[in-house]
Amino acid sequence: MLDMIPARASPDILAPQVFRAEGKARRRVALLAGCAQQALDGNINAATIRLLQRHGCEVVIADGAGCCGSLALHMGREDEARAAASRAIAAWTRALDHGLDAVIVNASGCGTTVKDYGHLFAHDPAVKENAARIASLARDIGEFMHAIGLRAPTAPQTYRVAYHDPCSMQHGQRVIEQPRALLRTAGFDVVDVPERHFCCGSAGTYNLLQPEMAQALGERKAAHILSTDPDIVATGNIGCMTQLSRYLGRPVVHTVELLDWATGGRRPPALEGIALRAPAAKPTVSAPDTPADSAGFW
């Protein structure tokens, strides 16, 4: 567990508040600020909020919406998970009084759980209606931005980016092409990772509770990522970011940080002091995995 502590962290614990949209507000969304992610890398939420504001969204940090219950649920501690989820559902339901177009989640492990609230509370008459309503509004930030459309980049960044699919994103939510499409729109040269369907070894709390297996998966994933020779590695889950950073000598950032940077935001902190290669002259699109690449996985 001590080995998992990052060399540096940029915590930014968000208090309940409303971030106003730039210009006319066209949408109102709630953002799950999260728990572990806020402690490990506050810039992910900051970049998310800036990106949403820039695209005409009012962003609500709802009072009482803390942990979504995901980590407890991963470990089979359902009572603890339901208690945390109930608090989040109640907070977002109160926010619905003023209207919400979506509940935005920028950690895919959390997003999979929030989208499953209807199932989690299917037999709880006191909560199930609101749980299903919140679940229907839940969107990964990449999924949401793809739906509303990314504005033209102000400073297109055509660095070579290896995109890593979190298991909870690709298998749990089936959000696969949207993040890639957004990064390409932002100007990045996006490459796929061989065996992209494989886990990196983070798996919620697996890299803490099953370190040997997690290390084997992490090293395997890192080797495949490095085979694409990327400048930057992008993904949509703080667990994957933390895990991959242990085995890669390349900067690992959240997808939303790159989208924020390309559309007028700050350079991701993980890239500060990193000498990137000159941008590629022309982005390339790699072919998806062949059926043989994923044969037998399921």
Side-chain angles (χ1 to χ4, degrees), residues 22 33 48 53 55 80 84 106 123 127 136 164 224 252 264 275:
E22 291 184 9
T48 301
Q53 290 177 300
H55 286 77
E80 185 177 338
N106 55 16
H123 303 294
V127 183
S136 72
H164 163 69
H224 282 310
V252 182

Side-chain angles (χ1 to χ4, degrees), residues 106-109 140 142 160-171 173-181 183-184 188-204 207 214 216-226 228 230-248 250-256 258 286 289 297:
N106 55 16
S108 64
D140 177 77
R160 187 175 177 87
V161 174
Y163 178 75
H164 163 69
D165 291 272
C167 292
S168 48
M169 185 92 81
Q170 61 177 326
H171 303 312
Q173 300 185 49
R174 304 295 183 185
V175 175
I176 299 171
E177 295 305 324
Q178 297 95 317
R180 290 173 167 82
L183 288 168
R184 291 183 183 116
F188 293 99
D189 179 13
V190 182
V191 294
D192 282 325
V193 176
E195 287 189 351
R196 72 186 195 187
H197 56 286
F198 258 55
C199 180
C200 71
S202 174
N207 52 4
L217 286 167
E219 291 173 346
R220 177 174 179 156
K221 178 64 71 173
H224 282 310
I225 290 174
L226 292 174
T228 70
D231 299 303
I232 305 167
V233 180
T235 189
N237 189 50
I238 185 63
C240 298
M241 291 173 64
T242 303
Q243 173 77 348
L244 292 174
S245 295
R246 302 181 68 199
Y247 304 106
L248 287 169
R250 308 288 168 94
V252 182
V253 301
H254 196 288
T255 304
V256 78
L258 295 181
S286 58
D289 293 343
F297 180 68

Side-chain angles (χ1 to χ4, degrees), residues 107-130:
S108 64
C110 300
T112 303
T113 295
V114 176
K115 287 183 176 183
D116 204 38
Y117 277 175
H119 173 73
L120 187 63
F121 291 96
H123 303 294
D124 186 337
V127 183
K128 69 176 184 179
E129 183 177 340
N130 286 336

Side-chain angles (χ1 to χ4, degrees), residues 3 8 20 51 82 95 104 111 113 127 185 196 204 215 217 234 279:
D3 288 342
R8 64 174 186 172
R20 303 299 179 188
L51 185 67
R82 288 174 195 273
I104 302 298
T113 295
V127 183
T185 298
R196 72 186 195 187
Q215 180 176 344
L217 286 167

Side-chain angles (χ1 to χ4, degrees), residues 6-294:
R8 64 174 186 172
S10 54
D12 185 6
I13 310 304
L14 293 174
Q17 59 189 296
V18 176
F19 293 90
R20 303 299 179 188
E22 291 184 9
K24 182 179 179 181
R26 292 176 291 169
R27 296 173 181 84
R28 187 172 189 267
V29 302
L31 173 66
L32 171 62
C35 44
Q37 179 171 275
Q38 288 198 91
L40 292 170
D41 192 344
N43 189 60
I44 296 172
N45 280 342
T48 301
I49 292 166
R50 289 192 300 264
L51 185 67
L52 289 168
Q53 290 177 300
R54 198 174 297 128
H55 286 77
C57 297
E58 184 175 272
V59 184
V60 179
I61 309 297
D63 189 11
C67 177
C68 69
S70 181
L71 289 177
L73 194 63
H74 290 337
M75 294 184 285
R77 290 153 52 175
E78 287 202 11
D79 289 344
E80 185 177 338
R82 288 174 195 273
S86 293
R87 291 190 290 271
I89 290 167
W92 289 325
T93 299
R94 290 191 296 270
L96 280 170
D97 291 341
H98 301 283
L100 282 180
D101 294 294
V103 173
I104 302 298
V105 188
N106 55 16
S108 64
C110 300
T112 303
T113 295
V114 176
K115 287 183 176 183
D116 204 38
Y117 277 175
H119 173 73
L120 187 63
F121 291 96
H123 303 294
D124 186 337
V127 183
K128 69 176 184 179
E129 183 177 340
N130 286 336
R133 190 177 181 189
I134 295 302
S136 72
L137 290 171
R139 299 288 186 276
D140 177 77
I141 180 60
E143 181 181 23
F144 181 78
M145 289 304 306
H146 186 264
I148 69 172
L150 188 72
R151 66 189 291 181
T154 55
Q157 306 293 340
T158 55
Y159 295 108
R160 187 175 177 87
V161 174
Y163 178 75
H164 163 69
D165 291 272
C167 292
S168 48
M169 185 92 81
Q170 61 177 326
H171 303 312
Q173 300 185 49
R174 304 295 183 185
V175 175
I176 299 171
E177 295 305 324
Q178 297 95 317
R180 290 173 167 82
L182 288 166
L183 288 168
R184 291 183 183 116
T185 298
F188 293 99
D189 179 13
V190 182
V191 294
D192 282 325
V193 176
E195 287 189 351
R196 72 186 195 187
H197 56 286
F198 258 55
C199 180
C200 71
S202 174
T205 57
Y206 235 71
N207 52 4
L208 294 176
L209 303 178
Q210 300 289 341
E212 291 182 1
M213 186 183 298
Q215 180 176 344
L217 286 167
E219 291 173 346
R220 177 174 179 156
K221 178 64 71 173
H224 282 310
I225 290 174
L226 292 174
S227 75
T228 70
D229 192 26
D231 299 303
I232 305 167
V233 180
T235 189
N237 189 50
I238 185 63
C240 298
M241 291 173 64
T242 303
Q243 173 77 348
L244 292 174
S245 295
R246 302 181 68 199
Y247 304 106
L248 287 169
R250 308 288 168 94
V252 182
V253 301
H254 196 288
T255 304
V256 78
E257 294 181 277
L258 295 181
L259 300 179
D260 174 52
W261 182 28
T263 57
R266 62 175 291 188
R267 182 185 179 99
L271 303 183
E272 296 296 339
I274 300 293
L276 298 174
R277 289 177 292 186
K282 183 179 180 180
T284 59
V285 178
S286 58
D289 293 343
T290 63
D293 185 54
S294 57

